[in-house]
Every structure is written in C-alpha cells, then in structure tokens.
Amino acid sequence: MVTIEREGGDRTMGEQGSAPPGSTSAGPLPYEGVWRFTAPAVDSSVPQARHAVRDLLARQGVPASDDNIQGLLLIVSELVTNAVRHAALLSPMIALEVAVGAEWMRVSVEDNHPYRPTALEAEESQTGGRGLLLVREITKEAGGACDAEHTASGGKVIWAALPLKSHVPPL
C-alpha cells in the first residue's frame, strides 16, 4: 500500500500548497506543491507508485506534455524498482517525493541503503541493469536533470527533474 501525504500540513491534495523553495511568484499555481509517498520495498510497490504519481498529476491538473509525463512515470518505475531490488534489505520502506513547480516537475526516491549507484552499460544478453541509463537519457532528452545524493541519515536519494513542456533539441 502506497501512503501519500502533502508536505507542509495536512491539507487535502486539491488545495493550493506552498510555493517551491526559490519561487518568486506572488502565489503558487493550483497544481504546484510537494507530495511524499511511502511504500514497502516490495515488487508490488512499483506499479502502485507509478499509478499514484500518474493519478496525482492528473488530479492536480499539472500542465505537462504527454511525453514528459510518460517519461516521468517511467523514471518513477525505474527508481522504485532499483530501491526494491537493491536496498530492501537495509530499507524496508522507501519514500517517493513528487514536487511540481510553475515550469518543472521533480521525482525523487529515497532509501536507507548507503550505496550510491552509478549508471552502468549492460551487456546485450542481460535483461536488466539499464535503469539508471534510461533515467539519465529520459532526463537529458527532455531537457531536465538527474542526480544521486547522500542523505543525513546515511542513505541516498535519487532524483530527476523534467520541464513541464517538451524540450525541442536544437537542429
């Protein structure tokens, strides 16, 4: 079961939230906010997290391009899958945060495992091992960014941010 809470109080998801840090607008747009999902580090959490993020973006009316929403959902699946496969022993619960600003959307997955993964080239015969490469390529193609950072508790958070509008690469 994926549990969802909105950062900054116990408001419902339909209410306006606070502006993201660094925002200079007079007030947040109706779709702006930060939400945190928690889930057990088990296989069934992967589709649940993806569906929860998809439903959140739709419910909030986030004006993102279809390509970037699909890219973000694929990133959610890859990052949650990695946390389930590689961190579950030290992190029985994982956290997924979704932040939406006026021009961007960001997802991050946090676990308590200290290992900071790197994107590796997988052999063609392997059926897995390309998740972080895929995340990096999706963010690059969309004009976004991604990274992994250590947390104060000794774990890690892996995040990806995409613009709301599709990125058109220069010719």
Side-chain angles (χ1 to χ4, degrees):
M1 161 93 49
V2 175
T3 304
I4 306 168
E5 61 186 55
R6 183 167 188 150
E7 297 282 310
D10 48 356
R11 292 173 279 193
T12 63
M13 291 178 55
E15 295 178 25
Q16 280 191 316
S18 59
S23 176
T24 58
S25 65
L29 295 168
Y31 57 83
E32 288 183 87
V34 179
W35 297 265
R36 190 166 177 86
F37 302 63
T38 55
V42 296
D43 288 338
S44 62
S45 291
V46 176
Q48 289 175 356
R50 183 182 172 104
H51 294 170
V53 171
R54 181 198 63 208
D55 294 347
L56 169 72
L57 296 175
R59 187 171 38 254
Q60 292 304 117
V62 175
S65 70
D66 288 340
D67 286 345
N68 285 2
I69 286 179
Q70 292 307 313
L72 191 77
L73 295 176
L74 184 52
I75 289 169
V76 167
S77 293
E78 292 298 331
L79 295 182
V80 173
T81 296
N82 284 351
V84 166
R85 287 189 181 160
H86 304 294
L89 186 61
L90 295 177
S91 188
M93 294 295 288
I94 57 174
L96 169 70
E97 186 175 276
V98 178
V100 181
E103 298 179 7
W104 51 268
M105 53 189 171
R106 179 182 190 258
V107 293
S108 60
V109 174
E110 182 178 340
D111 63 57
N112 292 324
H113 198 288
Y115 175 69
R116 183 176 167 174
T118 56
L120 302 174
E121 295 289 338
E123 292 182 25
E124 285 187 32
S125 62
Q126 291 179 304
T127 58
R130 294 177 183 87
L132 289 178
L133 283 174
L134 185 58
V135 168
R136 188 169 35 192
E137 287 304 311
I138 291 169
T139 57
K140 180 180 174 184
E141 185 175 306
C146 62
D147 202 1
E149 302 166 357
H150 290 287
T151 63
S153 64
K156 67 181 165 303
V157 61
I158 303 174
W159 60 268
L162 301 179
L164 293 181
K165 305 298 179 205
S166 289
H167 175 69
V168 179
L171 296 176

